[in-house]
Amino acid sequence: MILPRIFIVDDFFGRGVSSGANEERRNLCGEYLIEDITGDEAEPPQRIRTPIAQAVFWRGQHPHRASVGDTVENDLPATLERIGAGWAEPPRWALVLLDLCFYTGRVTLASDRKARGVPEGRTGDDDPANYFGMALLRAIREHFPDLPVAILSSKPRADVAQEFSRAGAVGFLARGEDDKDVLREFLWRHGLIPDETGAIVGKSVALLKALRSARRAGTTRRNVLLRGERGVGKELLAAYLHRSGMGGGHEPFVTVDSGALQASLYASELFGHVRGAFTGADRDRTGRLIEADSGDLFLDEIGNMPYDAQTGLLRAIETGEVVPVGGRSGRRVDVRVLSATNEDIEVSTLEKGGFRADLLDRLRQGGTIALPPLRARSEDILELALGFVREAEKATGARERTIDPEALARLQQLPWPGNIRELRSRLFEAVVANRDVELLASEHLEAPQPSRKDSGRKAAASHTTSVDTPLATASLEEVLQSMSGFDFVSLRAADLVGKLPEIEAAYAEMLARYLAAALRTQLRHTARAPEGILLTHPALVLMTGAERLSATKAYDLIIGLRHLPGAPSSVWDEDPVLREAYERAMARRRPERKKARARLNLNPKTQGKT
């Protein structure tokens, strides 16, 4: 098992000593079961029999090793550089532990006797208002916003409780606590840790954040909604969430593919039926909800769930009782529902006969987790591709081969609208078609073509633009001219078939990215909020050029952009600025929103009915 790596910035434990070992550091490693991999000591580090993490220790000051007569100073630039080096690529820091009080000044004979290389300290070093650790925390959050940071200190928590929380630390570890599992729990809740079982492959930050969200959600029995494009591995994430629960995955885990069920059989599948309930019901059947009792029920593609089945599921969730089709009495169950969708399901809640809004609220009581598309975690493609090639070789009896680096680079450049499922399929095809080659080259990997069922998730609607595309470096005016000047008349009928969803998706994503750019230009940065405070109304004024635009109208425009046909959920879910803007807009939505949607020409069904 690969241990998570943590980075510990502490003037006491991180300092190097002129000879021997830092005994205080060794005691800390033994207390928290940490394997020291810093490599700055003459003696080999002590052996930890069952370590929970590996750690690199850093003083945060210069010189790293100080002797009597040296002057010790805090070193923010070098500390940020060292953190950045360990954050740039796997294995990344899973967590940073940060001390608060750093002592500076001259190392004297008296201070060196107390602890080798430690200075006397200057007036103000131990004043909470001047803690170097707090300055470090704010700088880390500014430069590495996704890197989790926890305070590790013997100083009173109350002195900095509000400040460290406001600055973005995930929590406070009081040094010297008796609980041996306190660091393990912090790593589990807050660390960026890969799936140790290997079922979910990858170490990109986007994936690790989704896994962390799943671990947090797994500790409760509240229903969770999983979102993501087709083929991203939502069922694997549901299984990971199930394993992350208090039972460790030993409870039942039952799956239902909503897209594979006929509407007439859905209720029977979920709730079961009694003999004679309908034609063909020649015996009693136990439903999936009862099979999942005391465990988890995974409902994939819930957007395909028939309306009457939605009503029954809502009743079962609210009452905790399952009544089979045709039955008169029910059975009590304790089931957590993990549901998944690749649709913008909120849109269907606005339409009669769509998805029930009250059921959707119940299904996401425990939160919503967005699983990133493959194009947002391209660094994982190498590991995924190697695994799929080996799987294909084993399944087909093909010769084992290496993969040309150029081919891997090509795989990382493609948008993969079908995500991991499409990558796997394409590599299987390449292995089957080239069973006896010893090198899988670029020519064996034709660019995957999106199908017409792709609902507009074409390469044009992806986050990334090919480096060969002239529009990637064009100005906004040039892009608009290119779009308006495109000659559709010269196209053949075959070229136009089924392209409307793709054009809608590309248009909707372009507008979403335009909104995100405008929102970021209007962020207000302050000392208390260095990451910026979101100002939605000024951003919409900037976009529309209408100085008299009302705040309510601005919020209506945001909602309208979110619900454009083909608008990619992944863009809005994964961009924190867009997500916050939409959540604000929904909180301020007006009763006449439907009229606003009609005026914006967002829903063809409502045109002419305002």
Side-chain angles (χ1 to χ4, degrees):
M1 182 181 71
I2 299 177
L3 294 173
R5 288 191 174 188
I6 59 179
F7 190 68
I8 301 178
V9 188
D10 188 293
D11 62 335
F12 194 58
F13 301 116
R15 77 192 196 283
V17 296
S18 56
S19 62
N22 184 330
E23 294 299 331
E24 293 84 4
R25 182 195 298 180
R26 293 195 167 203
N27 291 336
L28 184 79
C29 289
E31 179 182 357
Y32 287 107
L33 301 180
I34 297 170
E35 180 184 342
D36 181 10
I37 59 170
T38 308
D40 64 340
E41 296 184 334
E43 298 180 7
Q46 65 180 339
R47 187 167 179 268
I48 305 297
R49 182 170 298 179
T50 54
I52 63 171
Q54 294 178 328
V56 172
F57 286 84
W58 183 258
R59 184 170 191 164
Q61 300 173 320
H62 66 265
H64 179 67
R65 289 184 177 86
S67 302
V68 175
D70 291 337
T71 299
V72 176
E73 301 289 355
N74 295 328
D75 196 339
L76 179 60
T79 301
L80 291 177
E81 181 180 355
R82 186 66 183 87
I83 291 174
W87 180 245
E89 59 185 23
R92 294 184 172 87
W93 310 126
L95 182 70
V96 170
L97 296 180
L98 185 62
D99 190 17
L100 287 174
C101 178
F102 289 69
Y103 290 103
T104 61
R106 188 176 178 82
V107 180
T108 65
L109 283 171
S111 67
D112 191 64
R113 283 194 208 98
K114 293 178 183 178
R116 286 183 295 169
V118 174
E120 289 280 2
R122 294 188 176 114
T123 302
D125 280 347
D126 57 358
D127 182 349
N130 300 325
Y131 279 158
F132 178 59
M134 292 303 302
L136 269 175
L137 172 60
R138 286 187 283 269
I140 293 170
R141 298 303 297 161
E142 178 183 354
H143 290 86
F144 313 104
D146 289 326
L147 177 57
V149 182
I151 302 299
L152 174 66
S153 178
S154 58
K155 295 296 182 181
R157 180 196 308 258
D159 290 347
V160 292
Q162 294 185 6
E163 286 301 316
F164 83 71
S165 298
R166 188 180 292 115
V170 298
F172 188 104
L173 280 169
R175 209 160 64 211
E177 286 188 348
D178 294 333
D179 188 355
K180 299 295 184 181
D181 293 325
V182 63
L183 179 57
R184 190 194 308 272
E185 292 172 2
F186 254 66
L187 275 168
W188 182 253
R189 286 199 301 270
H190 306 297
L192 296 178
I193 305 171
D195 178 10
E196 62 181 16
T197 69
I200 298 180
V201 175
K203 299 179 181 66
S204 63
V205 174
L207 177 64
L208 298 183
K209 289 170 67 177
L211 294 179
R212 180 177 62 185
S213 296
R215 291 196 304 273
R216 290 171 174 172
T219 59
T220 75
R221 291 291 294 163
R222 298 170 70 87
N223 303 327
V224 180
L225 175 64
L226 310 180
R227 312 194 75 132
E229 297 177 8
R230 66 181 181 87
V232 295
K234 294 186 288 294
E235 183 173 349
L236 287 175
L237 186 64
Y240 178 82
L241 193 159
H242 174 73
R243 295 195 305 272
S244 301
M246 292 176 287
H250 297 294
E251 310 92 338
F253 180 71
V254 179
T255 65
V256 175
D257 184 357
S258 304
L261 290 177
Q262 298 179 18
S264 59
L265 299 178
Y266 204 107
S268 174
E269 186 78 11
L270 276 185
F271 315 120
H273 62 251
V274 299
R275 181 180 178 183
F278 50 84
T279 302
D282 54 356
R283 55 189 175 86
D284 292 349
R285 174 174 180 174
T286 301
R288 297 298 182 90
L289 274 163
I290 293 177
E291 291 177 358
D293 189 17
S294 77
D296 293 329
L297 176 70
F298 175 61
L299 298 177
D300 199 7
E301 305 304 344
I302 56 170
N304 296 319
M305 187 184 300
Y307 199 80
D308 58 345
Q310 294 177 38
T311 302
L313 179 60
L314 176 62
R315 186 184 305 113
I317 291 175
E318 290 181 334
T319 65
E321 185 177 67
V322 176
V323 179
V325 176
R328 296 184 178 181
S329 60
R331 170 176 164 177
R332 302 287 298 177
V333 294
D334 174 19
V335 176
R336 177 175 58 181
V337 179
L338 309 177
S339 52
T341 181
N342 64 6
E343 301 178 10
D344 191 357
I345 202 166
E346 285 81 2
V347 173
S348 65
T349 66
L350 303 175
E351 303 172 358
K352 185 177 180 181
F355 202 88
R356 294 187 57 143
D358 48 1
L359 176 57
L360 181 60
D361 289 339
R362 304 301 193 283
L363 292 178
R364 57 186 180 190
Q365 284 176 334
T368 299
I369 302 173
L371 193 55
L374 190 55
R375 61 180 173 272
R377 40 179 294 219
S378 59
E379 67 182 83
D380 292 335
I381 287 179
L382 169 60
E383 188 176 359
L384 286 164
L386 288 172
F388 290 147
V389 167
R390 295 292 172 260
E391 182 186 355
E393 291 166 348
K394 184 177 180 180
T396 61
R399 177 187 295 273
E400 185 171 318
R401 82 270 336 267
T402 58
I403 305 179
D404 190 343
E406 290 186 5
L408 286 172
R410 173 61 177 155
L411 293 176
Q412 290 180 310
Q413 292 172 358
L414 295 172
W416 299 110
N419 293 291
I420 297 174
R421 185 183 299 135
E422 184 180 6
L423 174 65
R424 180 180 183 274
S425 175
R426 186 68 202 95
L427 288 170
F428 261 71
E429 291 174 5
V431 170
V432 170
N434 304 276
R435 288 174 53 92
D436 297 313
V437 302
E438 298 184 17
L439 177 74
L440 199 62
S442 295
E443 52 264 32
H444 302 140
L445 301 166
E446 298 178 5
Q449 299 296 321
S451 69
R452 284 164 50 186
K453 295 181 180 180
D454 229 0
S455 301
R457 300 189 187 277
K458 193 183 176 185
S462 70
H463 287 296
T464 56
T465 304
S466 170
V467 294
D468 298 327
T469 304
L471 291 181
T473 56
S475 67
L476 183 56
E477 289 74 16
E478 290 170 331
V479 171
L480 293 173
Q481 291 174 7
S482 177
M483 292 171 63
S484 61
F486 187 80
D487 183 15
F488 283 92
V489 176
S490 63
L491 297 179
R492 301 171 300 168
D495 298 326
L496 301 173
V497 174
K499 297 301 180 185
L500 179 59
E502 299 177 9
I503 294 173
E504 287 177 333
Y507 168 69
E509 179 162 351
M510 182 177 180
L511 286 177
R513 292 163 63 190
Y514 172 45
L515 171 61
L519 289 166
R520 285 189 166 85
T521 65
Q522 300 302 305
L523 288 173
R524 181 160 60 89
H525 298 275
T526 68
R528 290 181 176 272
E531 73 282 0
I533 298 173
L534 187 65
L535 302 175
T536 53
H537 183 241
L540 270 294
V541 170
L542 175 72
M543 292 172 64
T544 61
E547 295 183 1
R548 296 186 178 182
L549 181 74
S550 68
T552 303
K553 180 67 174 177
Y555 284 125
D556 283 342
L557 286 169
I558 293 172
I559 294 172
L561 292 174
R562 176 67 179 85
H563 294 296
L564 279 169
S569 299
S570 57
V571 176
W572 288 83
D573 290 340
E574 294 163 14
D575 189 316
V577 169
L578 286 177
R579 186 169 62 245
E580 182 179 347
Y582 178 66
E583 289 172 352
R584 286 192 190 179
M586 290 298 291
R588 291 279 301 273
R589 62 189 297 186
R590 301 183 303 167
E592 56 267 31
R593 178 175 170 228
K594 290 184 179 180
K595 294 182 180 180
R597 283 169 56 81
R599 288 197 298 272
L600 285 167
N601 193 28
L602 300 177
N603 188 347
K605 294 182 180 179
T606 64
Q607 293 183 24
K609 298 181 182 180
T610 58

